[in-house]
Amino acid sequence: MIAVETLTFGHRGAPAPVLRDIGFTLAPGQVTTLLGPNGSGKTSLLRCVAGHWRPQAGRVLLGGDDVAALSARDRAKRLALVPQDQGVAFSYSVRDMVLMGRGPHVGPFGMPGGADRDMARQALEAVGIAALADRDIRRISGGERQLALVARALAQATPALLLDEPTSHLDLRNQLAVRARIRDIGRDRGLTVLMTLHDPNLALMFADRVLLLKDGRVVADDRPDRAITESTVHAVYGVAADVRENGGRRWIVPRDME
Amino acid sequence: MTLKAVLIFVAPLVIGVAALFVGAYGLAPSDVIAALPGGRSAAAASVVRDVRLPRGILAGLGGASLAGSGATLQAVFRNPLVDPFLLGISSGAALGCAIGVGFLPFLPVPLLAFLFGLGAVALTWGLGRGVGGDDRLSMVLAGVVVSALFTALVSLVKVMVDPLRLQSIVFWLMGSFSLANWRHVAIAGTGAAIGLVPMILFRWRLNMLSLGDEEAAGLGIDVRRMRFLFVAATTLAAATAVSVSGVVGWIGLMVPHLVRMATGPDHCRSLPLSIAGGAAFMIAADTLARSLVSWEVPVGIVTALAGAPFFAMIMRRGRSRWAP
């Protein structure tokens, strides 16, 4: 379980904080989306939850312990972060990359063993890219690489999974495939899933819960269909839009911008 | 283990033994064999046991240290073009040598080279930390600054000293194993052991470190501690190697590249193979250096002369699956 308590974060020397007085609790088995426009503080919040950045006030609790007090190793046993695809300096195989998820579980002087390799293989199978195990991580498609990073997070075997814009560089088909897979795995394994998104329609499709951010504050925290409305979209994105329903699904359709 | 890997591990031994049969002092193969421990030929014994054998071992240790350090720093700094001298070891050691030869003839040059090499890296580390920001980039920048400063000081010493001393400095800077003896072997062996063992023990973490600080931390790596450990280990190994053999370039950059192209970048395999490959390459280069012509060619020249075209060839051939 992840609990964020009255968290405020700002960059050193910056006049205004990036995140202000944020609080929420995440339950296992749910996919929660941090939704908001560019610069609303989504990624900052994700970094604070992951423990990479320290908030000026408030705290983040992972299973009851303050994330700031945990060692990198203990943190990595409790939550796995799927970063944005940012390029790799070396041509590791997909298998080697996924095996790195075993980092927090291998002893300080140790090397990954047979059990770790099995878990990496299972993780590859779970996301459906076992056939790519021997391929060069730099020479597979963006969607496949994103799935490899998800597999690495699964190999980490943590109760919580954080994803930073997991499909921002993917085409339509891959977006849907990656997202559906993340949602299914999260539900099957009872993971606490938190991901940032900037597209409200994707949040409507895949999230159980939406935290809507604007200027570093949470302005809505609810089921997607309640959090994402004509008025909140206008307030947060500054875009006049209609909510349409089609086949039981809701869609945000922007009106022409003036 | 693949055949390639086995060959790379065996190479230093094979080349090292072969090197014993090559040299300026003409010895028949049977004399060399007779001179090996257990043999009885006195004249051959002193050539083989006191000259060729320590020289081969020293070259092997130097090559292993430089290539292992190169492979490690390339991962730590996430850049396949990094060499073991990135943080200023070579310019620091050069200044130590220049000051020793020029002004402090009563102090051993290896000691001064070692201390100044360590000092240069310490200065780089302090400067890089002080600048803050992205640790890795500021560290590389600090290395450039420190190298420039020390190189300028070396040049200053060069114009101040007499031609004879200038010549000694220049020769030392080109790198050579010609003064090898068993004491040097002991020094280089100690430095290699202290430096290479932690690199080998923690080598899997190099994979994670090479992904960047945040990602490595997310995978449970204590980034600051690990980076310090690797930088300290590579500094010890490389500074010791440089102190007894001068600045031999190319090996630390090239060998890790060749190994990655042969067997992939996973450091569980590529680090030990780089160490073995570095030893093999350096022994071969040194054997060429002392046998090509009637006088000694500095081994640094051989590594560059042989290495650059070889490297270019491999690069062209492997372009389709270029794996830096």
Side-chain angles (χ1 to χ4, degrees):
Chain A
M1 199 191 65
I2 296 175
V4 174
E5 295 177 347
T6 60
L7 182 144
T8 295
F9 170 82
H11 292 288
R12 210 182 304 164
V18 179
L19 301 167
R20 293 174 228 218
D21 200 25
I22 290 185
F24 56 84
T25 303
L26 302 178
Q30 270 200 339
V31 176
T32 306
T33 290
L34 291 173
L35 184 68
N38 297 332
S40 58
K42 306 181 297 277
T43 301
S44 300
L45 181 51
L46 204 69
R47 287 198 155 121
C48 286
V49 172
H52 292 321
W53 287 354
R54 297 283 148 88
Q56 271 83 43
R59 54 183 189 163
V60 175
L61 299 176
L62 293 182
D65 295 315
D66 190 340
V67 71
L70 294 174
S71 67
R73 192 179 166 77
D74 284 337
R75 230 186 300 143
K77 282 181 182 170
R78 299 184 192 205
L79 62 80
L81 176 66
V82 179
Q84 288 195 35
D85 185 9
Q86 51 191 351
V88 187
F90 299 97
S91 305
Y92 297 114
S93 70
V94 171
R95 177 186 286 115
D96 289 339
M97 191 63 150
V98 173
L99 193 56
M100 293 185 213
R102 300 303 298 158
H105 303 281
V106 172
F109 294 97
M111 304 273 279
D116 298 305
R117 285 173 197 288
D118 283 345
M119 293 202 66
R121 190 174 40 76
Q122 286 160 16
L124 278 168
E125 282 163 7
V127 300
I129 55 166
L132 301 178
D134 291 315
R135 296 277 296 281
D136 175 348
I137 189 81
R138 307 202 299 184
R139 293 186 181 242
I140 55 179
S141 74
E144 290 165 342
R145 195 154 45 240
Q146 201 67 52
L147 285 173
L149 292 177
V150 172
R152 189 180 72 188
L154 292 180
Q156 226 171 311
T158 54
L161 195 57
L162 309 186
L163 304 102
D164 190 8
E165 294 284 354
T167 55
S168 51
H169 300 299
L170 305 186
D171 65 30
L172 187 62
R173 182 173 170 280
N174 275 315
Q175 281 197 11
L176 298 178
V178 170
R179 234 166 258 288
R181 202 144 245 161
I182 291 168
R183 182 195 55 196
D184 294 344
I185 290 170
R187 284 182 186 162
D188 287 352
R189 304 188 178 194
L191 304 179
T192 308
V193 181
L194 178 66
M195 67 170 84
T196 60
L197 278 185
H198 57 253
D199 184 345
N201 280 319
L202 286 171
L204 279 167
M205 282 172 76
F206 291 105
D208 298 308
R209 175 180 170 191
V210 169
L211 291 165
L212 196 58
L213 263 74
K214 188 195 182 201
D215 297 335
R217 291 180 198 276
V218 175
V219 294
D221 174 4
D222 213 326
R223 270 171 32 195
D225 55 329
R226 290 196 203 133
I228 302 170
T229 64
E230 284 157 13
S231 67
T232 57
V233 167
H234 186 261
V236 169
Y237 290 88
V239 171
D242 297 317
V243 174
R244 305 252 170 88
E245 287 216 25
N246 185 0
R249 281 240 173 86
R250 293 165 72 96
W251 299 95
I252 294 289
V253 182
R255 291 179 211 149
D256 287 342
M257 292 182 83
E258 282 138 37
Chain B
M1 206 162 23
T2 60
L3 180 64
K4 272 182 194 165
V6 174
L7 286 178
I8 295 174
F9 276 127
V10 175
L13 289 177
V14 174
I15 297 175
V17 170
L20 291 178
F21 293 88
V22 179
Y25 185 88
L27 283 179
S30 57
D31 292 337
V32 175
I33 292 165
L36 291 173
R40 282 183 302 276
S41 161
S46 96
V47 170
V48 173
R49 288 186 203 167
D50 298 332
V51 179
R52 291 185 193 171
L53 192 57
R55 183 164 181 165
I57 295 175
L58 190 68
L61 288 170
S65 294
L66 291 177
S69 300
T72 300
L73 286 184
Q74 285 170 6
V76 170
F77 288 94
R78 299 168 61 193
N79 185 340
L81 296 178
V82 155
D83 78 4
F85 307 138
L86 174 78
L87 301 178
I89 288 182
S90 56
S91 52
L95 183 60
C97 159
I99 288 177
V101 172
F103 309 119
L104 305 169
F106 47 91
L107 283 177
V109 167
L111 178 69
L112 284 168
F114 178 75
L115 292 178
F116 273 74
L118 291 193
V121 176
L123 196 60
T124 298
W125 186 266
L127 200 60
R129 289 275 298 246
V131 174
D134 184 332
D135 254 355
R136 178 173 59 91
L137 263 185
S138 51
M139 208 65 84
V140 173
L141 273 178
V144 172
V145 171
V146 169
S147 292
L149 176 71
F150 278 47
T151 304
L153 290 175
V154 171
S155 302
L156 185 64
V157 175
K158 277 186 188 168
V159 297
M160 287 168 71
V161 298
D162 60 69
L164 209 64
R165 291 179 180 190
L166 175 62
Q167 197 184 22
S168 317
I169 295 173
V170 169
F171 262 91
W172 191 88
L173 289 184
M174 287 189 283
S176 170
F177 294 98
S178 59
L179 300 175
N181 58 40
W182 284 108
R183 203 169 53 86
H184 283 169
V185 170
I187 293 171
T190 309
I194 296 175
L196 291 177
V197 166
M199 290 183 223
I200 292 171
L201 279 179
F202 290 104
R203 67 190 185 278
W204 184 49
R205 274 96 191 144
L206 288 172
N207 286 1
M208 280 89 119
L209 271 184
S210 76
L211 301 179
D213 293 3
E214 260 190 33
E215 224 168 313
L219 295 169
I221 302 295
D222 186 335
V223 174
R224 277 164 188 273
R225 187 178 298 176
M226 269 315 201
R227 182 162 43 210
F228 179 79
L229 179 132
F230 282 124
V231 168
T234 56
T235 302
L236 268 177
T240 314
V242 167
S243 75
V244 292
S245 63
V247 180
V248 183
W250 266 97
I251 296 246
L253 169 67
M254 182 174 55
V255 170
H257 263 284
L258 296 177
V259 166
R260 278 196 296 269
M261 279 189 252
T263 66
D266 175 17
H267 291 88
C268 292
R269 293 157 55 84
S270 71
L271 181 73
L273 287 171
S274 293
I275 291 170
F281 197 95
M282 188 74 103
I283 299 170
D286 182 53
T287 307
L288 282 178
R290 64 188 170 83
S291 60
L292 267 184
V293 286
S294 56
W295 43 279
E296 282 259 351
V297 185
V299 67
I301 294 177
V302 175
T303 57
L305 275 182
F310 183 49
F311 194 46
M313 192 185 75
I314 298 269
M315 229 172 80
R316 285 183 69 85
R317 250 185 43 194
R319 191 156 49 183
S320 57
R321 49 183 206 88
W322 168 240

